[in-house]
Structures are given as C-alpha cells and as structure tokens.
Amino acid sequence: MPLNRAGAAAWLAAWAQKAEANVDYLTDLDRQIGDADHGANLKRGLAAVTALDPDGFAGPADYLKKTGLTLVSTVGGASGLLYGTFFLRVAAAWPSQEGDAAGLGAAFKAGLDDIQKRGKAVLGDKTMVDALVPAFAAYDAATAAGQGIGPALAQAAAACAAGRDATVPLIARKGRASYLGERSAGHLDPGAASATYLVEAAASTLP
Amino acid sequence: MIGIVVVSHSLALAEAAVDLASQMAPPERRPVIRVAAGLDGGGFGTDATAVAAAIRGADSPDGILILADLGSAVLSSELALELVEPDIAQRAQVCPAPLVEGLVAAVATASAGGDRAAAAAEANAGLAAKVEHLGPGDLPAGVLIPGAAVAGPAPDAAALVWQGAIENEHGLHVRPAAALVANLGPFDAQIQLSNQTLGKGPVLASSLAGMTTLGLRRGDVLAARITGPEAAAALAALRELAANRFGEGKKGAAASKTADADDAAAPEAADSAQTGRQIVVGPAQHLAAVIDVSGYLPGDAAAERTRLDEAVAAVLARLQAKAREQTRHFGIFAAQGALLEDPELAQTLHAGIAEGRTAVAIVEHDFAALAHELDALDDPYLRERAQDIRSLARQLTAELTGAEIDVSEAEGILIVSELDPFVASSLNPSRCLGVVTCSGGATGHGVIVAAARGIPVVTGQKEAADIPNRTIVGLDPVHQRLWVNPTMAELAEIDRLAVERRNEATLAAELCQEPAVTQAGRRILVEANIGCLDDALTALGNGADGAGLVRTEVLFADWDHAPTAAEQADSFQRLGQALGGRMLTIRTWDPGGDKPLAFLPQAPEANPMLGERGLRAMRRAPELFHTQLEAVALASRRTPVRVLFPMVCEPAELRWAADKLTQVLGRTGGHVAVGMMVETPAAALRAADFGPLVDFISIGTNDLTQYAMAADRGNSAVAHLAQGEHPAVWDLIRLAAKAFAGRPIAVCGDYASQPELVPRLVAAGATELSVRPPLVGLVKLAVRTRA
C-alpha cells in the first residue's frame, strides 16, 4: 500500500488484527510481570482506532494524529500513552512523497525518540524500546544501503522480533514490572511483544 | 489563587481524595480543583486529553499544580502539558508528591494564599508527618524524606524539590558528580539527592562517595530536596548544572525540545551509512595547511599571555567535547588534549611571552620546532605525536586569529597535507565525498576516524599537493588509486568500477541478514568488532551474527575510574541487547601499546608493543582483572557471552587467567566458554599446547603481522611490511587453525575485513570472521560468492 490514508489505515488494521488475535497471549505475558491488562487495553484502543474513517481526514498526517490521540484516550495504561505519543510524532514527520524510504525511517525514529523521552526507558530496561530500537536501526541501515521500504521493513520486523525475544532474561527497570525486580527476569516483555506486532504489521502493509 | 488538577487511574479515588482535601479549607477559600481520572467507559486508566482539559479548566494566572497517582498518570500529565497551549503549560507544574498527602497539603497551602512553589513544597513534604510518626524504617528505599536515610535536621516544611533525567552519555560518573559536589558545596543548604529510577538514596550532595552509590545512569531520574537558608540559590545552581549536563555539555534544554535538536547532536548514528569503500569522483578542494597570520594585531605581554591561555582553554574544551561526541575515538582526542594540558608545554609558551614574542609567533614556531624534534626521533609513537602537535598548532592559530577552520561545509574531494583526527571528525560525509592526503600512511588517526565515518581516503599522494582547486579527481580507496583530470574514457571506466562497487554493496546489504554459507555448504559466522553501543547497533543493522570482539578498553576508555563488575555487566547486557541477544565475545582488558587505560597507569616503556600488554598487565593488576571476570560471569546470566584473553605467548599465562575465571565461576555458578587471541608467533607456532586450555581461538592478524614481520603498524617507513598480506603470516594462521581443527576458529584482524582474503581464510580453516561493523554484509557476500 502507498504512504497515503489507505496505506496507513491498512497498517493500523493489520496491527489491530494481530493484537486482537493475540489478546490472550498479551494479557498472559502481562499477568507474569504486570497487571494483566495489556491485551485487553490494547484491543480496546485499537478497536477505537479502526473505527476511525480514514476518508474523513485531509491526509495521512491528520489521520495518524487522530490515531495517536485516540490511543492516548482509550488504552489507559502507559502503553497507550507511549503508542499515542509515537503516532503523534510519526504523524508530524510522515513523508509527503510516495516511496520516501528515508523519510519514513525519519518519522519512525522521531516517534521512537519521543517514546524514549516520555517513558525515559533506555535499551535493556525490558520495555518496548528493546524491540523498537534495533528495529528502526535495521530499517535505517537498510535504507542507507539503498534498499526500498519493503526490504527495509522486513529487516526491521526481523530485528524487532529478535529484540523482543532478547527481553526474556532482562530485569525490568521501567513500568509496573520493575516492582518485581529480579523476579521479572525469565519473562518476555508484553510491550516488546505488541511493539513487534506494530512493526510486523507495517512490513506486511506499507510496502 | 492557584488551580489544582488531580490525575488518577480511578475516578472514585480521585473524587474521594478531593472531598477529603476540601475539608482543609472553607468553601470561599478553596482553590479550583479539576479531576482527570479513569477511562470514559469506566475502567481504570488515565487519558492525557482529559488531563489537558482539566488543566485548562483549572488554569489561573497564579499557576496550576498537578498531582498524580501511579506510573502512567505521571506520563499522561507530562503529555497533557504538551497538548495544552504553551502559555498555560508554562504556568503548570507536575508535582511528584504522593497523591492524598500531597493534595491535602496543597489545598491547605493554596487556601492560605501560598503560591505554586509553596504549595508544591508543602505537597512534597506531605509524607513527613507519617515518617516522623512511624520512623524511617518503614519507608521503601528512595523516598525522599529529610533525616530518613541520612543524618540531618528535622523535617523542614520549607524544602525545595527538583527532579530531572540524567542526559550524560555515561551517566553521572565521577567527573560530573565531582562538578556537582564542587558547585553545590558552597551553599548554606542541605541538599539530598536520590536516584528516583533505581530507588537509591537519599545521600548528601556534599559527599562524592555517596553520589557514586546512587548509580545514576543516562535516563535515570535524579531527585533533589533542598533545605536551609540558601536553598533557593542552591536550587538555581543545581538547575543550571543540570542544564549544562553537570559540566559535560550544553544540551540541557533538549529534554523539552523537539527531535530536530536531538538529530543534530547525534551525528555518529548517520556515520555508518557508507562503508568507506565507495569509488568517488568530484572537484578537488585544498584545505589550507597554513593559516594566514599577517593581520594579527599583537597586544602587550599581559594581553598576549591572556590570549594564549584563552586559546589553549578553548581548543582544550573543543577537544574534550569531541572526545565525548566521538565515543569510538575517545582515546585519540583525549590524547591530543593531554598534550595540550602538559604543564611543561605551558611553561615553554609562557617563557616565550616573557621574551616579548606574540602568542601567534610562539604557537607557530615553538610548535613547529617541537613537531620537528619529534619527527626526527627514532620512536614511531613519538613521531605520530608530531602530527598531533601540528594539528594543535593549527587549531590554536585559528583560535588566535579568528580564522575559519570549520570543515563541515567542505565539499567534493578534500586535499590535505595530512589528515588530522579533528578535521576527519568534522567533515560532513554527505558533502565531503572523499579525502586525499599528500603525506602519511593508512594508519594515521585521522584516516581511522574518516574510515569509521564512511569517508573514503587515499593516502600518501605527494603529487596531490599540486592539483589546482576544482580539478576533477577520482579515487578508489580499496586499491588506493587516484585519477587526476580523468579523460572521458577514464571517467567511463571509473563509472563502471563505481557502479560495480555500489552494486556489490547493495547486494551485500540486501542479503546481510541471511546466514553466510560457502558454496560447499559450510556456515561461516560473520561477526563484528565493537567498542561502543553504536557499533553494536550498526552491526545488527548489517546482519552481524554476534560480536567476535568486544574491545573493553575502548568501551570504557572514557571512564576515569575502574568500572565495577555491576557497571561492566550492565554495559555488556546493553551490547547484547543491541545485538538482539547474539553472542558477545568479551576480550578482557588489553591495555598497553597505543591504548592506555586511565585507571591503570603504566610507566613509559621503550618498546611498548613488546612490553606489558594484555594479560601481562593484568598480572600486575589482578584485582582489575578479577572484577572484569566477575562482570563477565554476571553478564552471562543475562545475555550470551564468552571470554577472550589477549596477548598470550605461553600456556602458563593462559592457565593463570583460566584459573581466575574458574575461581569466579565457582562462586557465581554458570559456565563461560574460554578463548585466546592468537596474535603472537609463539602462540601460533605452539597452538597445540593451548588445546586443553581453551574452547576457541581468535586470530588477531594485525598484531600477528606486526610481530611476525618485525614491523610497526604506526611507522610509515615500514608500512609495506606491516600492512598487506604476507606468506609468513598465512603460514602462522594455517598452523594455528590446524591445531584447533574441529573447534571454533575466529579471525578478528584486518585480514577478515578484506573480502578478497575471505576465501583463503575459510580455506585455512576459519569458522568465524569478525569484522568492522559496516563491512559485515560485504564479508558475508564474499563468503557466499568467493569461498
């Protein structure tokens, strides 16, 4: 799909579909180290997002901005706030030209920067940041080497999944899971899991 | 009167808290209180847009105080401040106080006419009554209460509080911590600091030892509570320090800025885009070697001395900033700075002033004389310093005359007499296509910095000095070839080569995440040599199967104290995380030669490359070695690691190191694979002797070449022996590999980074190749197509 409203809508729909299909899994991950609401929260928020009519907006930027605000308002937990922050920033930096792989990477990077600024999480804190940092680094490396959006997103999705899986041995330093200290080690971080759905959804829809 | 906003996950909780707090004030004196709590559908949660609406509703010219309950309530409040109009946001403040206690105290203070700061201070002190009653023993660590964890005066209602995230690259390590202690010490105030993120503290800001126990890393939140007669002034000083990153930079306001400012401050991330192997063509541009000083107006002796001192201070500051920005090359810039800080140099310069000479003349002549002396010495290391001295002279002269030496705008192909690291690090890779040097070899510091940034360099081209500006030149960094004013036919040829090289790079990038398998079906692991987190991210993006060499002496080069086991383990964990959980090969401290460690002082040696390097130095500092092995053991529980011992000649050395590791693992449990560097002819020739002691080997071809060929890598007079490949070195590689057949055999020197040598390394028995991070994809391609 192109980088227009329809493409963005396909991305969000694919993300929602993945999150919905795995709602019990996400909730279960969150039960191990959190408050067991991540799956349900995200499902509720994404249902509100997919209910938006992309044709009702002037362009993809307006649509993605509304997506951000909707996530902020409907998800409730820190994850909604962080994903909302991501989309607010991505919307502002969304490339205006079709096929602008570097521009799309810059938008992702801007969104990730704001997630990190808001949540103050760094690599290794066992959060969604652990999946997203390697994902967008892989994306940038691919586009810098001259690859297009499709292959770059495929590599981003692979790196994202690797980052997600590597959260298992970590000790959480942010969010509710950090209350568990050492006991948080040995579990996959639910935020890293849902972030991977986000990037995988992009890889399957945006190229 | 101020307005108050209550942010909570639960509407019922928020409303009850407001009811309770309202009892503190008669109706006509109650502040406006707005609630943003729960979700629309009735669930628990917070909604930043609802918080924004509440802030607007509670807005007052006297300001707005926001009190929040847990986790995302605080984040939502912060986001809400970005959603409301900027003038409203400026009047609003998110208060870290506990919700119920804080709200009660804030309402009471506001109704008594207190301003926002007073209400915030009272709210923050809201826990004090409970603590006084129950005693500090019942408090979780990290709660900021005067007198709770440190000796101090009784709870004081007039306390000021502050908190902010640490932005320093390496956290609040000793240097910035010392700046904090020194700057806050003079105030008549008690300043308590804690690490909000890790829940450590509080400690007194007057104690450097206490500060270090807080373990403040980048991103951690530092919280301060200040009481005493000069509390306000101390708070202002703390704010200023934080804005200046505690003396380490000026980016303090960035936290509230947009991503644009951050992008500009992170040039290294973009540096890895190119491999530095690309063929380029463009107009030549000379960088003037000599700065015109004819317009310099001398002052009297006092004025000249001041100018000279100021110029030295300015250049030193710039070098220190460079060292922090170019983390990969910290040592290079730190070494230049150290030259400038040498007290003997200052004496010489001041003596020149006393003789009535001008600052410009002293820099010009004394530095030239010093460089000349160094040039004439036998010692190649000191000769290398001559280049540093010339670079410093250039920077000082520019500082004194106001001449522009900013090369970030330089375009096309830059021609320089020699490439100093300062210039190399300042070039803009998207404008400057390549660099040609008239003198100097391929191993100078400037060349290393340029290569790491993806800028192609051709070195030692004497005739380039005579190329007129704007002449079209082409260069091939791989074959060190230079074309001057190429004909149409030559241009076509260059173009063909450039396309070929680029296609190869594109193909390598497309396939980089795929495994590297030879045509015979052997899987070769292609890993990266890394020295910082950016390297690890670059490596991951280029498809590295792991880190075949973690240079710990580079990773911690800018630490002025020895990192603890926990600090090192944290760093290793981050590297592992950045590599997606792939294997890290941690080489133990390898100081000596050209890479000293600040926390392991070493007496000067006549032949440092033949002196106390690697494991040899560890036998002199066993506790440093022990701490690092503990770090490896700790890290092994969080991310896959193996350990690599450098500079081994005899089995006894390795046995000593392996015993230390066994002792550490005996206490911590776990298993870590052990490897040794094969970088001396002794180790290669007798490799079988080490067989029972190690699980894998890693062949360091750079040192192996240096020691086998008796040729110093830094000495351009013997560059033909020290660089390139030699039959003697190949024989040593084959011998070592044969002795370890069937076990992992890695190659981590320059040989592995040269695609054309890959087939011979694989044929010799190498199973792993560890290369410069941007080259992983190319080496993988070479494995697939050539081996």
Side-chain angles (χ1 to χ4, degrees), chain B residues 210-580:
Chain B
M211 290 291 308
T212 57
T213 65
L214 295 181
L216 284 153
R217 303 177 318 166
R218 184 181 189 170
D220 285 358
V221 176
L222 170 68
R225 185 173 197 285
I226 309 175
T227 55
E230 291 184 352
L235 177 62
L238 175 59
R239 282 213 174 101
E240 195 176 320
L241 270 170
N244 187 25
R245 293 188 172 187
F246 306 95
E248 287 201 312
K250 301 189 182 80
K251 221 183 62 144
S256 56
K257 278 194 193 150
T258 57
D260 298 340
D262 276 6
D263 290 347
E268 275 196 285
D271 285 357
S272 53
Q274 289 281 5
T275 58
R277 288 169 53 93
Q278 64 275 25
I279 293 172
V280 292
V281 179
Q285 184 190 341
H286 283 269
L287 176 66
V290 181
I291 295 169
D292 181 12
V293 297
S294 57
Y296 184 76
L297 294 177
D300 59 17
E304 286 298 290
R305 186 180 161 126
T306 308
R307 285 183 195 176
L308 189 56
D309 287 345
E310 284 175 359
V312 168
V315 171
L316 190 59
R318 199 161 344 112
L319 285 171
Q320 286 165 348
K322 271 282 180 220
R324 285 190 299 275
E325 169 195 314
Q326 301 275 327
T327 46
R328 282 188 186 88
H329 310 298
F330 176 86
I332 293 175
F333 294 101
Q336 279 204 350
L339 279 174
L340 207 50
E341 275 183 308
D342 185 340
E344 257 183 59
L345 180 75
Q347 249 175 24
T348 311
L349 298 180
H350 288 159
I353 298 277
E355 288 164 16
R357 295 157 61 208
T358 69
V360 159
I362 291 166
V363 169
E364 205 172 5
H365 297 118
D366 289 11
F367 276 69
L370 182 55
H372 189 71
E373 267 175 45
L374 292 170
D375 264 334
L377 289 176
D378 282 342
D379 189 324
Y381 294 98
L382 294 176
R383 277 211 302 274
E384 178 85 10
R385 295 280 86 81
Q387 190 183 326
D388 287 330
I389 292 284
R390 280 191 288 272
S391 167
L392 288 173
R394 218 179 112 73
Q395 295 174 53
L396 285 170
T397 307
E399 195 64 43
L400 285 166
T401 59
E404 193 56 67
I405 54 163
D406 178 15
V407 293
S408 62
E409 299 287 304
E411 286 186 313
I413 311 275
L414 195 65
I415 301 181
V416 294
S417 70
E418 53 188 12
L419 182 58
D420 73 53
F422 191 83
V423 168
S425 69
S426 310
L427 293 169
N428 179 345
S430 60
R431 285 172 180 267
C432 175
L433 301 172
V435 178
V436 178
T437 74
C438 304
S439 60
T443 58
H445 285 154
V447 179
I448 293 170
V449 172
R453 305 186 64 215
I455 300 172
V457 184
V458 170
T459 57
Q461 307 286 319
K462 284 195 188 67
E463 70 283 6
D466 303 322
I467 298 173
N469 272 338
R470 288 188 292 284
T471 307
I472 297 296
V473 298
L475 54 93
D476 175 356
V478 172
H479 299 108
Q480 287 289 297
R481 211 176 145 191
L482 179 71
W483 293 271
V484 181
N485 233 338
T487 62
M488 289 308 284
E490 279 177 320
L491 272 177
E493 170 68 3
I494 295 171
D495 201 38
R496 190 186 64 74
L497 288 171
V499 168
E500 205 173 273
R501 183 85 40 91
R502 196 164 52 236
N503 285 346
E504 188 188 43
T506 307
L507 183 63
E510 275 172 12
L511 300 174
C512 75
Q513 301 293 343
E514 303 296 320
V517 180
T518 67
Q519 282 154 16
R522 264 177 70 197
R523 167 88 192 264
I524 304 293
L525 294 178
V526 180
E527 303 155 323
N529 300 335
I530 66 177
C532 63
L533 195 59
D534 279 341
D535 280 348
L537 288 169
T538 305
L540 181 81
N542 285 286
D545 294 317
L549 177 60
V550 177
R551 296 189 168 103
T552 54
E553 64 283 349
V554 175
L555 188 58
F556 299 102
D558 54 343
W559 288 55
D560 44 17
H561 69 284
T564 65
E567 285 167 337
Q568 291 184 54
D570 266 4
S571 285
F572 298 149
Q573 174 178 338
R574 273 165 214 236
L575 291 181
Q577 184 63 22
L579 276 167

Side-chain angles (χ1 to χ4, degrees), chain A residues 44 72-74 76 78 81 89 117-118 120 122-125 130 134 141 144-145 147 155 163 166 169-170 173-174, chain B residues 39 46-49 72 75-76 78-79 82 165 197 217 257 259 262 273 509-510 513 540-541 570 573-574 577 638:
Chain A
R44 179 176 60 237
V72 163
S73 303
T74 54
L81 196 89
R89 193 75 184 90
K117 258 183 229 158
R118 175 81 54 222
K120 305 213 167 75
V122 296
L123 216 51
D125 283 347
D130 291 319
Q147 298 192 51
Q155 298 192 12
L170 299 180
R173 291 195 162 124
K174 289 283 173 220
Chain B
L39 293 182
T46 60
D47 171 356
T49 59
S72 67
L75 302 186
S76 287
E78 287 181 322
L79 177 58
E82 287 171 27
T197 308
R217 303 177 318 166
K257 278 194 193 150
D262 276 6
E510 275 172 12
Q513 301 293 343
L540 181 81
D570 266 4
Q573 174 178 338
R574 273 165 214 236
Q577 184 63 22
R638 309 185 211 156

Side-chain angles (χ1 to χ4, degrees), chain B residues 525 527 547-550 583-587 632 636 639-644 671-675 695-698 744-746 768 770:
Chain B
L525 294 178
E527 303 155 323
L549 177 60
V550 177
M583 176 65 80
L584 292 180
T585 309
I586 300 173
R587 184 172 70 185
V632 170
S636 73
T639 195
V641 299
R642 55 183 187 174
V643 68
L644 181 62
H671 172 79
V672 175
V674 175
D695 303 303
F696 70 100
I697 57 170
S698 185
I745 297 163
E768 302 179 23
S770 192

Side-chain angles (χ1 to χ4, degrees), chain A:
Chain A
M1 298 291 284
L3 300 179
N4 56 16
R5 285 170 301 179
W11 175 23
L12 295 165
W15 186 30
Q17 192 255 325
K18 276 172 186 286
E20 162 110 48
N22 294 287
V23 61
D24 292 338
Y25 172 65
L26 288 175
T27 294
D28 200 48
L29 289 178
D30 199 24
R31 181 174 297 115
Q32 320 279 341
I33 58 173
D35 44 7
D37 62 358
H38 187 53
N41 279 350
L42 198 60
K43 182 180 163 185
R44 179 176 60 237
L46 286 172
V49 166
T50 46
L52 297 172
D53 174 15
D55 294 335
F57 297 88
D62 287 347
Y63 172 54
L64 289 169
K65 184 178 173 196
K66 181 65 185 174
T67 297
L69 287 171
T70 304
L71 288 171
V72 163
S73 303
T74 54
V75 176
S79 59
L81 196 89
L82 295 171
Y83 283 130
T85 297
F86 176 79
F87 277 103
L88 287 175
R89 193 75 184 90
V90 165
W94 193 253
S96 53
Q97 274 190 333
E98 282 305 334
D100 181 0
L104 186 61
F108 288 150
K109 176 75 170 51
L112 172 60
D113 282 351
D114 262 24
I115 285 184
Q116 290 198 262
K117 258 183 229 158
R118 175 81 54 222
K120 305 213 167 75
V122 296
L123 216 51
D125 283 347
K126 197 178 183 100
T127 68
M128 61 173 73
V129 166
D130 291 319
L132 293 175
V133 166
F136 296 141
Y139 181 93
D140 284 347
T143 56
Q147 298 192 51
I149 291 175
L153 276 173
Q155 298 192 12
C160 199
R164 170 199 65 198
D165 295 342
T167 61
V168 171
L170 299 180
I171 295 166
R173 291 195 162 124
K174 289 283 173 220
R176 201 69 63 89
S178 65
Y179 296 170
L180 295 176
E182 297 264 350
R183 278 173 294 151
S184 63
H187 301 284
L188 194 98
D189 179 62
S194 61
T196 306
Y197 296 148
L198 171 72
V199 177
E200 286 173 346
S204 67
T205 54
L206 288 180

